[in-house]
Amino acid sequence: MTQTGKANGGSDDRPQYVRIGDQLRDRIARGDYAVGALLPTEGELCEEFKISRHTVREALRLLTDAGLIQRRQGSGSRVLAAQPHQNYVHAMRSLDQLFLYASDTRFVIRDMSVAVPEPTLFPEIGGDGAEWLIVRGLRLERDEDIPICDSTVMVNAAYAGIADVLAEGSGAIYRLIEDRYGIEVLEVVQDITVSPITAQAAKSLGKKKDDAAVQVRRRYLGTDGSVILASVNHHPTDRFSYTMHLRREGAKRSWV
Amino acid sequence: MTQTGKANGGSDDRPQYVRIGDQLRDRIARGDYAVGALLPTEGELCEEFKISRHTVREALRLLTDAGLIQRRQGSGSRVLAAQPHQNYVHAMRSLDQLFLYASDTRFVIRDMSVAVPEPTLFPEIGGDGAEWLIVRGLRLERDEDIPICDSTVMVNAAYAGIADVLAEGSGAIYRLIEDRYGIEVLEVVQDITVSPITAQAAKSLGKKKDDAAVQVRRRYLGTDGSVILASVNHHPTDRFSYTMHLRREGAKRSWV
DNA sequence: CAGTGGTCTAGACCACCCC
DNA sequence: GGGTGGTCTAGACCACTGA
């Protein structure tokens, strides 16, 4: 099955090379081009689809990136797999599950301001001199006083209007923005590293100044690629654990 | 610093778009194009380098793939970072590259035995008294002597036959098992924590006894839910970085 | 609206693989 | 040597962004 929806009744305004790529993908999945065999040459595909070589090559690039074929100068394009072997997928039903500590947390705000973020903290967003709504605080387990992490959240100024409801501090901030502004977070880029703890985080989390902390940074990207919200969280190393399930799509599992 | 060696005395037979890409990468690294700023337009780059637009676009594609810039129709190419992640990175850009990393590394075996695993190391598999093929070693970058992590791999006794090919040590072990036994890894469960470094890992990685390490544990599950292979890796904290992209399906991205 | 990147064409020469 | 994919040019039109 092709990923991209063909559900729109008839018209398909995607670029040609994407459509051609899809067709080739289907043929491979059906076995028209067997695993281990060679695809038609670029020239043959140009003829069949009546398109230029450049467009054929873009289509084949899609398959290459998906790991379905392997191309070699001089010999041709060989089919590596009938299904994208790449289909390991985060078994996350929604972005909510990014928050490992379930929804049972609350956010206590320490301070909130509109300013230009420290570029050292988040080089990807601090660079252009734009102002962001910066919120610093502590995330706690809902009914406990145990801190989960020290948190700095930077909200794109376009959505700074949510400041007034943040104090109530329940749920994920990105969700509040989605609801209020009718936009959608399309992608989240997250990275995990170990860093020296910041003075503030050490104080909040009851740690010593020289302790290490786990730093989790996230950027929430909208459909246009702009950063809606970014966050930097510092977790005490002794209470940090990140678990994820990656599963291959398409196969069935015989257990539960 | 550009990866690719310019050490060959003067002549550089790499394609133009690779050389141009390198130059642009250098400029970004030097700060000529600041993080957050826009790159020159495609047209300007065509003029400067006296090349066609297609070649410029191929060069920019390299930077995009490296995560250095973000391109958006209508607005331009923005610099995201001055350096590609210099640390060892699991970059799960296509939601699978968790596994790809193994192909650029080599595994040096320290010792190998068949025994009952320490239950403290991996409670999920050590409990029932079954024996596993246990392999301890070090994972290195392919052509470097820099260690990535100290690694303990436990192979289900049913697949212990791969022991003889492990010494060659290239690629991911789970893949060797898939090929040899005609089975498939359906799901991987992975968790990341910070733990005190083990004596052995400290020695291998050149760390002090009291240092912390990032512990990454994985279980590779087959279609029947059985554990095919499990691994525990200890990374030095200063060289560990884990990046992942989580994307909502269905929507269209207007950026790269 | 002007300017950007995204797509596409038609052609060319080259490096490489295999016969 | 004949055919493959890899690189590159010169041009065109379109979709999107932002002032």
Side-chain angles (χ1 to χ4, degrees), chain B:
Chain B
M1 195 53 192
T2 44
Q3 283 281 29
T4 38
K6 290 178 179 172
N8 56 9
S11 82
D12 185 347
D13 55 358
R14 295 175 304 162
Q16 257 197 89
Y17 73 89
V18 177
R19 296 200 304 268
I20 306 277
D22 258 12
Q23 293 192 48
L24 295 177
R25 198 192 295 265
D26 284 347
R27 292 183 186 176
I28 290 174
R30 272 203 310 273
D32 296 352
Y33 305 139
V35 172
L38 289 174
L39 243 50
T41 67
E42 294 182 353
E44 289 165 348
L45 293 172
C46 290
E47 274 207 357
E48 175 183 352
F49 293 106
K50 306 292 179 204
I51 55 179
S52 79
R53 194 168 155 223
H54 175 69
T55 306
V56 164
R57 288 176 58 79
E58 286 299 316
L60 292 176
R61 168 124 59 177
L62 292 178
L63 302 194
T64 306
D65 289 346
L68 288 174
I69 64 173
Q70 179 189 41
R71 315 195 68 208
R72 262 167 82 192
Q73 188 174 175
S75 56
S77 305
R78 195 168 295 277
V79 179
L80 288 182
Q83 304 279 340
H85 291 117
Q86 71 235 3
N87 292 338
Y88 178 64
V89 171
H90 297 271
M92 298 203 20
R93 193 173 174 87
S94 66
L95 293 181
D96 160 61
Q97 298 175 9
L98 163 62
F99 304 104
L100 289 184
Y101 90 99
S103 53
D104 282 333
T105 65
R106 58 185 222 274
F107 190 46
V108 177
I109 296 176
R110 190 183 324 120
D111 63 72
M112 188 152 56
S113 65
V114 175
V116 179
E118 285 288 335
T120 53
L121 195 60
F122 226 131
E124 291 89 340
I125 72 164
D128 59 354
E131 294 196 320
W132 294 63
L133 171 66
I134 302 179
V135 187
R136 292 190 183 79
L138 209 56
R139 196 168 277 282
L140 307 170
E141 291 189 21
R142 177 159 298 289
D143 295 319
E144 312 279 342
D145 283 337
I146 305 170
I148 294 168
C149 62
D150 183 88
S151 188
T152 300
V153 179
M154 285 153 283
V155 180
N156 188 316
Y159 313 112
I162 55 151
D164 53 355
V165 293
L166 282 185
E168 297 160 19
S170 108
I173 297 177
Y174 86 94
R175 235 187 215 311
L176 296 176
I177 298 179
E178 283 189 336
D179 290 346
R180 171 88 143 251
Y181 292 94
I183 59 171
E184 219 184 15
V185 171
L186 177 62
E187 183 166 334
V188 177
V189 182
Q190 166 177 277
D191 67 69
I192 301 174
T193 55
V194 178
S195 69
I197 201 165
T198 61
Q200 182 56 257
K203 199 174 141 196
S204 313
L205 302 173
K207 291 291 163 185
K208 290 195 298 286
K209 224 182 111 192
D210 293 333
D211 283 343
V214 177
Q215 174 177 273
V216 179
R217 301 191 319 156
R218 299 198 187 109
R219 282 175 292 156
Y220 296 72
L221 309 179
T223 48
D224 60 354
S226 65
V227 177
I228 295 169
L229 180 155
S231 69
V232 182
N233 296 331
H234 286 97
H235 296 253
T237 55
D238 52 351
R239 298 185 53 241
F240 179 85
S241 165
Y242 193 98
T243 303
M244 70 193 80
H245 292 236
L246 305 158
R247 194 169 63 246
R248 253 180 205 162
E249 299 282 338
K252 185 196 164 199
R253 288 206 292 193
S254 63
W255 85 96
V256 209

